[in-house]
Amino acid sequence: MIGEDIEIIVLQVKGKNVKLGIKAPKDYSVFRREIYEQIKEQNKMASMTSVDSFGILEEILIKENKSSE
């Protein structure tokens, strides 16, 4: 058990391999580490893109405002 809500279950033992299952409430996200790392990296890239996009949008709006004066 992890806390009161998350349960780790041994599903199968075959030689040196062990398969685990995880029972958790639906509002928890459970990922393998490599998938979790990919998600973190994608979120980081998306946040950086958003900042860059806002800078470009600001430049466009400033140019449009100057040209309409």
Side-chain angles (χ1 to χ4, degrees), residues 39-69:
I39 292 169
K40 280 185 9 180
E41 185 62 29
Q42 288 175 356
N43 287 342
K44 181 179 171 184
M45 295 302 289
S47 70
M48 290 170 61
T49 302
S50 296
V51 171
D52 292 343
S53 297
F54 283 121
I56 293 168
L57 180 59
E58 181 181 28
E59 289 176 19
I60 292 170
L61 292 173
I62 290 170
K63 285 178 186 178
E64 284 183 8
N65 283 339
K66 286 182 180 180
S67 66
S68 66
E69 291 177 353

Side-chain angles (χ1 to χ4, degrees), residues 8-46:
I8 307 297
I9 304 159
V10 177
L11 299 174
Q12 181 182 37
V13 178
K14 192 173 186 181
K16 293 183 178 182
N17 296 318
V18 178
K19 288 187 180 181
L20 300 176
I22 301 170
K23 280 188 180 179
K26 291 190 182 289
D27 57 328
Y28 283 83
S29 297
V30 179
F31 302 102
R32 296 190 326 248
R33 177 175 292 282
E34 62 271 18
I35 301 300
Y36 178 72
E37 294 298 329
Q38 288 177 0
I39 292 169
K40 280 185 9 180
E41 185 62 29
Q42 288 175 356
N43 287 342
K44 181 179 171 184
M45 295 302 289

